[in-house]
C-alpha cells in the first residue's frame, strides 16, 4: 500500500563566505563558528526523521552531523548548489562589470558561468536527485526524510512542489532552517504533484540571512 511522505528540506549553517555575501556553489568551505553555534541552539527544535540525506559538500555534511548526530548520513551530489564555476567565491560587486555575468543575471537558463552550469543544468541535476529519492524510498520503510542542502535547491523544490505556486526568488530559507513538505502518497512525488501541506522548520520565526 502507498504511504504518506514528509520531506524536510534544511539549509546548511552559516559559512564565512556567506557572511561576506560571496557566491558559494560547488566550493567547499566549512561552517564558521557563528554558524555552528546557531545550529546547536536550534537542533532540539528539529524533528526526528527516519532517513538523512545531505549534499556531499562539507557545509551540509557538518550541519547534518550537528542536527542528526546519531544517524547515518547519505551524501548525494545531486543536491549540491548551482555550480558557479569561476565565479565561486566572488561577490556581486566584484562581478557586476563583467558582461557575461550581466548576461547570466538576465538569462540564467541558457547563459553558463565559466566552468559552471546553467540553471537548466541545475534543475536537471536536482530532478535526478528527486527521482533517485523516490526509488530509494520505495524500496525502504521510510516516511520522514531530512535533506540538508542549499538555498537554491530548496527554492527549486518549493517552486516545483509547494501547494501555492511562487517564483524561485519569492522563496527564502534562513541558514539552518527550511521547510517540511507532506504528500498523502509516495506516488505523488513520482508524479510531480504539489504537496498537500507545507510548514517552516523549525517552528520559529525565521532569522534574516
Amino acid at each position: 500500500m502507498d504511504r504518506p511522505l514528509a520531506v524536510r528540506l534544511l539549509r546548511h549553517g552559516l559559512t564565512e563566505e556567506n557572511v561576506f555575501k560571496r557566491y558559494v556553489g560547488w566550493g567547499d568551505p566549512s561552517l564558521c563558528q557563528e554558524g555552528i553555534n546557531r545550529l546547536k541552539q536550534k537542533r532540539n527544535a528539529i524533528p526526528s526523521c527516519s532517513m538523512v540525506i545531505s549534499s556531499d559538500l562539507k557545509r551540509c555534511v557538518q550541519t547534518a552531523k550537528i542536527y542528526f548526530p546519531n544517524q547515518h548520513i547519505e551524501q548525494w551530489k545531486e543536491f549540491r548548489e548551482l555550480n558557479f564555476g569561476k565565479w565561486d567565491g566572488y561577490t556581486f560587486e566584484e562581478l557586476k562589470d563583467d558582461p557575461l555575468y550581466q548576461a547570466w543575471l538576465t538569462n540564467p537558463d541558457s547563459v553558463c558561468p565559466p566552468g559552471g552550469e546553467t540553471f537548466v543544468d541545475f534543475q536537471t541535476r536536482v530532478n535526478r536527485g528527486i527521482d533517485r529519492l523516490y526509488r530509494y524510498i520505495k524500496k525502504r520503510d521510510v516516511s520522514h526524510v531530512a535533506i540538508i542542502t542549499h538555498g537554491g535547491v530548496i527554492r527549486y523544490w518549493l517552486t516545483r512542489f509547494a501547494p501555492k505556486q511562487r517564483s524561485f526568488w519569492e522563496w527564502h530559507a534562513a541558514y539552518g532552517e527550511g521547510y517540511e513538505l507532506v504528500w498523502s502518497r509516495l506516488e505523488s512525488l513520482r508524479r510531480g504533484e504539489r504537496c498537500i501541506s507545507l510548514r517552516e522548520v523549525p517552528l520559529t520565526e525565521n532569522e534574516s540571512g
Side-chain angles (χ1 to χ4, degrees):
M1 181 181 292
D2 207 351
R3 58 189 183 277
L5 172 66
V7 176
R8 300 185 183 107
L9 300 167
L10 294 166
R11 190 178 184 184
H12 62 80
L14 190 72
T15 69
E16 186 174 349
E17 286 75 7
N18 298 139
V19 172
F20 291 100
K21 299 187 183 301
R22 299 186 181 278
Y23 283 104
V24 189
W26 287 19
D28 205 15
S30 300
L31 300 177
C32 63
Q33 190 58 51
E34 179 184 356
I36 292 171
N37 293 342
R38 289 187 187 183
L39 294 177
K40 288 180 177 179
Q41 291 170 358
K42 295 174 182 177
R43 62 183 170 189
N44 290 335
I46 301 298
S48 61
C49 62
S50 47
M51 185 171 76
V52 180
I53 297 171
S54 172
S55 157
D56 65 326
L57 296 177
K58 191 182 302 178
R59 56 196 183 273
C60 289
V61 176
Q62 289 178 309
T63 300
K65 288 180 178 179
I66 292 171
Y67 276 170
F68 305 100
N70 300 315
Q71 289 188 248
H72 171 70
I73 299 168
E74 296 276 338
Q75 298 183 33
W76 291 13
K77 292 182 179 181
E78 291 92 338
F79 294 140
R80 285 186 178 190
E81 183 60 278
L82 178 75
N83 184 359
F84 297 112
K86 293 183 178 180
W87 294 339
D88 208 289
Y90 286 85
T91 66
F92 169 81
E93 288 296 322
E94 293 168 332
L95 294 169
K96 65 181 181 180
D97 295 326
D98 183 336
L100 181 61
Y101 176 70
Q102 289 297 332
W104 174 74
L105 290 177
T106 302
N107 188 10
D109 285 352
S110 59
V111 177
C112 186
E117 62 184 348
T118 67
F119 190 65
V120 171
D121 295 333
F122 165 78
Q123 290 177 332
T124 300
R125 170 169 54 80
V126 176
N127 284 336
R128 285 199 306 268
I130 294 169
D131 292 341
R132 179 184 177 186
L133 178 67
Y134 166 77
R135 296 192 303 271
Y136 195 92
I137 292 174
K138 191 172 177 62
K139 295 178 181 178
R140 294 163 175 82
D141 185 19
V142 172
S143 57
H144 297 85
V145 181
I147 300 177
I148 294 79
T149 184
H150 307 266
V153 177
I154 293 173
R155 285 188 175 103
Y156 178 66
W157 269 79
L158 294 173
T159 301
R160 183 175 173 188
F161 292 118
K164 293 184 178 180
Q165 188 170 357
R166 296 182 185 174
S167 69
F168 183 84
W169 291 111
E170 288 181 280
W171 294 106
H172 172 75
Y175 297 107
E177 302 184 9
Y179 297 85
E180 180 183 78
L181 297 80
V182 178
W183 289 266
S184 59
R185 300 168 59 244
L186 173 61
E187 188 66 15
S188 297
L189 180 66
R190 184 189 68 80
R191 294 175 179 270
E193 297 173 3
R194 294 188 176 273
C195 65
I196 60 171
S197 174
L198 179 71
R199 67 168 185 167
E200 294 182 2
V201 178
L203 296 179
T204 57
E205 182 178 350
N206 273 357
E207 70 198 59
S208 61

